[in-house]
Amino acid sequence: MTTHPSRLMIRIAAILTLGLCAGTVLAAVSPLELVAPVADYKLYVAENSRKLVTDVRNFTAAVKAGDIEKAKQLFAPTRMSYERIEPVAELFSDLDSAIDSRADDHEKAEQDPAFGGFHRIEYALWVEKSTKNVGSVADELLANVVELQKRLSALTFPPEKVVGGAAVLMEEVAATKISGEEDRYSHTDLWDFQANFEGAYKIVELLRPLVVKEDRAFAEKADENFKAVFDTLQKYRTPDGGFETYEKLTDRDRKLLAGRVNTLAEDLSKLRGMLGLN
C-alpha cells in the first residue's frame, strides 16, 4: 500500500525503535547462522506468492465475469497470501501502492483514477455493487501480482529487512489497521490480521533456535504473545473457516486485540538488535 502520512509516522517511529534496540544489545549470532532461516523464509514467500497469483487470477476472472457474489467470497481469502508476505512485498513500493493502496492515499479518494488494486475492486463490489468499471483494474491487479512474484523470486532477502519489517507491520496493525480502515467496505479485516500474524510468526519460528540461544525466556514470552493473539482471533472464526465481519467487534474487543498486538510489536522490535542486525 502507499504509505499514508499517519502510517509513515508509525513506521518511522518503529524503525527508530529498532535502531535503538540494535545499538544497545550485543549479539553472538553470526551472519552464517542466518543463512538457513532466511533461505527457508524465501521458500515461504515463494509459496505464498505463487498462491497469490493463482488466487488473484480466479478472483479477477470472477470480477471480469460480473459475478459479484463469487468475487465477494474470494476477496478476503485471496488477500491472505499478500498479507502474509507484506514485510517483503512492501520493499517494492511501486507495486505495493498499485496492489494495496487505500482511497485515502489518493487526492480524489475513491473517485481518483489512480485508485486501483484490491481496494478499488472492494469498493466496486460492496459499495457500487457493480464491476462494470473495474475490468481494467482487475487486469492491472493480476499483472502486478505476477510482477511481484517475479521480483520476489529474484530478491536477495536482507535479514534486517525481514525481521524489521515484521515488527513495523505489527506496529501498523496496532496503530491503524485495528480501526478497520483497510478493508473499510467489506469489513473483512480479521482475515488480513490472521495472515499478518501468520507471516510474522513464520519469521519468529524460523529464527527461534537462534533466539533461544540468546534468550530462552524472551523466546517463550514471544510464543505466549503470539498464542494470545491467535486465540483472540479464534473467537471470531465462523463454522466455514472464515471470520466474522469486523464491525461485529465491540470497542472493548478492539482495544483488547490492539493491546495484545502492541505487546507482540514490542517483542519483535527487540529481535533485530538481539540478532545483531544493525
Side-chain angles (χ1 to χ4, degrees):
M1 74 220 139
T2 297
T3 306
H4 191 263
S6 62
R7 297 198 290 275
L8 177 61
M9 292 306 295
I10 292 160
R11 292 187 182 185
I12 290 172
I15 290 166
L16 288 173
T17 300
L18 290 170
L20 288 171
C21 290
T24 56
V25 180
L26 297 176
V29 174
S30 73
L32 286 176
E33 290 179 290
L34 293 166
V35 171
V38 171
D40 286 342
Y41 181 66
K42 184 165 184 175
L43 291 174
Y44 175 78
V45 170
E47 175 187 337
N48 276 278
S49 61
R50 283 195 298 270
K51 181 168 174 51
L52 176 65
V53 169
T54 298
D55 290 349
V56 168
R57 185 170 281 116
N58 293 333
F59 171 62
T60 54
V63 170
K64 294 191 70 174
D67 192 338
I68 293 176
E69 287 309 309
K70 182 177 180 180
K72 281 184 172 183
Q73 290 171 8
L74 293 176
F75 176 76
T78 295
R79 285 179 51 75
M80 290 189 79
S81 295
Y82 187 80
E83 295 295 320
R84 288 189 190 101
I85 62 173
E86 199 167 359
V88 287
E90 288 186 340
L91 294 175
F92 303 105
S93 59
D94 59 329
L95 291 178
D96 186 45
S97 173
I99 292 168
D100 205 32
S101 68
R102 275 74 123 181
D104 305 2
D105 299 320
H106 303 277
E107 183 179 357
K108 297 180 181 179
E110 286 88 354
Q111 307 311 313
D112 199 309
F115 178 40
F118 276 120
H119 297 300
R120 175 62 184 92
I121 296 174
E122 178 194 9
Y123 179 72
L125 294 172
W126 272 271
V127 179
E128 295 179 320
K129 303 185 188 306
S130 170
T131 61
K132 67 178 181 180
N133 295 322
V134 291
S136 62
V137 177
D139 289 337
E140 289 169 7
L141 176 60
L142 178 57
N144 284 325
V145 297
V146 169
E147 176 63 18
L148 177 65
Q149 181 188 31
K150 178 181 175 182
R151 292 194 201 177
L152 287 170
S153 177
L155 179 67
T156 299
F157 284 29
E160 69 278 7
K161 296 290 187 183
V162 172
V163 178
V168 173
L169 180 58
M170 290 300 98
E171 292 274 359
E172 185 182 346
V173 171
T176 63
K177 289 190 177 188
I178 203 72
S179 70
E181 57 84 29
E182 181 156 20
D183 300 316
R184 65 191 66 174
Y185 318 114
S186 62
H187 305 295
T188 54
D189 304 83
L190 292 180
W191 294 76
D192 283 11
F193 291 178
Q194 178 74 24
N196 286 157
F197 301 145
E198 287 175 0
Y201 183 67
K202 186 64 176 181
I203 293 169
V204 174
E205 182 182 43
L206 291 173
L207 293 170
R208 196 176 193 283
L210 300 179
V211 175
V212 167
K213 188 170 70 171
E214 293 296 308
D215 189 335
R216 178 175 292 276
F218 173 86
E220 291 173 352
K221 177 176 178 287
D223 285 345
E224 289 173 2
N225 287 329
F226 266 110
K227 183 178 184 303
V229 168
F230 285 125
D231 286 349
T232 300
L233 287 176
Q234 186 63 32
K235 290 169 51 182
Y236 303 106
R237 283 282 191 183
T238 55
D240 63 359
F243 287 95
E244 298 281 3
T245 61
Y246 195 57
E247 57 194 351
K248 291 192 176 181
L249 272 69
T250 64
D251 287 341
R252 181 180 179 279
D253 291 332
R254 295 186 191 199
K255 288 176 182 176
L256 177 65
L257 189 57
R260 289 179 171 176
V261 177
N262 268 318
T263 301
L264 197 53
E266 291 170 7
D267 290 343
L268 292 177
S269 72
K270 298 172 185 174
L271 265 186
R272 185 169 154 178
M274 183 178 292
L275 299 177
L277 299 172
N278 298 321

